[in-house]
Amino acid sequence: MATETIPATSNVKLNKDSMRSTWRTWDKSQHRFAHQALTRADVFHNDPHRAIPVHAKTDPVPYLPQWAMQRWIVTHAAGPLLLHQLFVSATGANIGRLGALAAYYVSSRWFMTRLLRNMREMGHRYGHLDGDVHARDEVPDNGVGKTLLSVVLASVVRAVMFNVLTWDNDVAPGDARWLWMPLIIGVYGIVLDFWFYWYHRLMHDSASLWQFHRTHHLTKHPVALLTLYADGVQEVGDIVVIPLLTFLTLKATGVSLNFYEWYACNIYLNFAESLGHSGLRIMAYVPNPLTPVLKLFGAELAIEDHDLHHRRGWKSSFNYGKQTRLWDRVFGTCTTRVECLPDNIDYKNQAKVDSKEILLESFN
């Protein structure tokens, strides 16, 4: 691939609203810290040297079952908890507040790195929604630093916030309410989505609030790496306010999350946020242990639902939820899917969520 010669970024006046992305083709000598950090992380939605399949809207859409995502989440999130419990059982001591902050921050970053890389493989295998009209947006030339900052803030600030709120050195992973965990995770997602629904909807309905949300909607075809691409006010809302309101709401109803229960809920939250912005052309509902109940009311959230929301923009939008469609159903703001219609789902062609499974399938 030919390398595009671009002047050093310090000499270029970039349009702050542009989603033009060429920086991955620049000479590496022009990359600054943020460019280098994202490149090293290697969590882009595509490999520019590999093709991504393009499908017509009416082509069958492969199905990704809930159990496959649930299995992936549990097997990739359980390791730190098991190692932590083994340490406590062997030594009779806990790892302390700072040890927990470091250990679970690192494990969460590893989890998200694996997830985004797997989503890249899925994109190359199954393609993306609306791919016959527009390729997915990438990290824009003018937003590399903003993207890196959003990722760092989300992981660090949430980790610190809940470490302060929930850490108890006398409580070990084995003390969490694991038998109740599916219900805790499911209710957490629904309560969080109530607060997010109204916060999100008000930013669309109010001109004075839209100014804080418009940057996030510069991407009409988002990818997981742009999940928290936004102005500072929205970043605070997404990263701190909404999870905190959810935590306090549950506590007010008698469900006070301990550190490990919050960790599990946050893992599901991160998975849902990334999946909803991935644009993957698969029929996959945001994983929630209560999905069978939500499905009875048509309140399960598919990838396409939030993807369609991004294509709309400002006033009179729809699909405001990001964990479920429950509150969109209750308040009448659902819209019809385009590619993931019931008659267009290929339930026999089950998608794979693990990159190893996808690669193995490609060789068969």
Side-chain angles (χ1 to χ4, degrees), residues 205-245:
D205 289 348
S206 167
S208 60
L209 294 178
W210 171 251
Q211 63 179 310
F212 304 120
H213 190 49
R214 61 181 295 278
T215 296
H216 185 64
H217 269 271
L218 292 175
T219 170
K220 303 301 182 187
H221 295 81
V223 293
L225 191 52
L226 295 173
T227 296
L228 292 170
Y229 187 80
D231 287 331
V233 172
Q234 181 180 333
E235 287 179 326
V236 172
D238 288 351
I239 295 169
V240 177
V241 177
I242 300 303
L244 182 59
L245 282 173

Side-chain angles (χ1 to χ4, degrees), residues 120-171:
R120 176 171 61 217
E121 295 304 321
M122 295 171 75
H124 282 290
R125 173 69 171 144
Y126 306 114
H128 295 109
L129 295 162
D130 207 34
D132 55 338
V133 173
H134 197 288
R136 304 314 290 185
D137 293 326
E138 300 191 43
V139 176
D141 295 341
N142 65 321
V144 179
K146 178 187 286 292
T147 301
L148 178 64
L149 182 62
S150 71
V151 172
V152 172
L153 283 177
S155 54
V156 172
V157 173
R158 281 180 182 170
V160 171
M161 177 173 68
F162 280 93
N163 182 279
V164 170
L165 288 171
T166 66
W167 177 255
D168 183 341
N169 210 54
D170 294 328
V171 178

Side-chain angles (χ1 to χ4, degrees), residues 5-6 50 55 76 95 103 110 127-128 138 185 232 274 303 310 341:
T5 301
I6 303 291
R50 296 164 57 194
H55 296 277
H76 286 75
I95 60 178
W110 176 83
H128 295 109
E138 300 191 43
I185 292 169
S274 299
I303 295 174
H310 264 268
L341 295 170

Side-chain angles (χ1 to χ4, degrees), residues 6 24 107-108 135 137 146 227-228 236 261 273 316 361:
I6 303 291
R24 290 173 69 190
S107 64
S108 295
D137 293 326
K146 178 187 286 292
T227 296
L228 292 170
V236 172
E261 292 161 354
E273 288 179 337
S316 302
E361 185 182 56

Side-chain angles (χ1 to χ4, degrees), residues 291-300 325-326 329:
T291 291
V293 179
L294 293 169
K295 198 169 183 179
L296 293 175
F297 303 97
E300 72 285 6
R325 278 207 300 181
L326 177 60
R329 281 287 178 214

Side-chain angles (χ1 to χ4, degrees), residues 160-361:
V160 171
M161 177 173 68
F162 280 93
N163 182 279
V164 170
L165 288 171
T166 66
W167 177 255
D168 183 341
N169 210 54
D170 294 328
V171 178
D175 298 322
R177 294 165 289 190
W178 294 109
L179 291 178
W180 289 95
M181 194 63 74
L183 181 60
I184 291 172
I185 292 169
V187 171
Y188 181 90
I190 290 171
V191 173
L192 183 140
D193 219 38
F194 172 80
W195 290 113
F196 181 82
Y197 175 90
W198 282 110
Y199 151 82
H200 190 189
R201 182 171 174 178
L202 287 172
M203 285 196 293
H204 277 267
D205 289 348
S206 167
S208 60
L209 294 178
W210 171 251
Q211 63 179 310
F212 304 120
H213 190 49
R214 61 181 295 278
T215 296
H216 185 64
H217 269 271
L218 292 175
T219 170
K220 303 301 182 187
H221 295 81
V223 293
L225 191 52
L226 295 173
T227 296
L228 292 170
Y229 187 80
D231 287 331
V233 172
Q234 181 180 333
E235 287 179 326
V236 172
D238 288 351
I239 295 169
V240 177
V241 177
I242 300 303
L244 182 59
L245 282 173
T246 305
F247 176 81
L248 295 175
T249 301
L250 291 176
K251 187 173 183 177
T253 60
V255 183
S256 186
L257 300 180
N258 69 28
F259 180 83
Y260 312 103
E261 292 161 354
W262 167 79
Y263 167 74
C265 289
N266 191 59
I267 285 291
Y268 271 80
L269 169 61
N270 289 339
F271 191 102
E273 288 179 337
S274 299
L275 185 71
H277 287 88
S278 68
L280 292 171
R281 194 177 187 273
I282 54 176
M283 183 51 171
Y285 300 124
V286 167
N288 184 310
L290 297 181
T291 291
V293 179
L294 293 169
K295 198 169 183 179
L296 293 175
F297 303 97
E300 72 285 6
L301 185 73
I303 295 174
E304 188 175 26
D305 296 327
H306 195 66
D307 209 64
L308 289 170
H309 171 82
H310 264 268
R311 289 178 228 164
R312 168 57 68 95
W314 185 20
K315 291 258 187 183
S316 302
S317 193
F318 41 68
N319 297 349
Y320 295 106
K322 202 160 60 173
Q323 303 288 318
T324 73
R325 278 207 300 181
L326 177 60
W327 305 112
D328 283 292
R329 281 287 178 214
V330 170
F331 298 111
T333 50
C334 284
T335 192
T336 305
R337 293 164 186 155
V338 175
E339 296 179 64
C340 294
L341 295 170
D343 294 341
N344 209 35
I345 309 304
D346 185 357
Y347 289 99
K348 294 181 180 180
N349 180 19
Q350 292 196 353
K352 309 294 183 183
V353 69
D354 193 286
S355 57
K356 294 179 182 177
E357 290 180 302
I358 296 169
L359 292 174
L360 181 62
E361 185 182 56

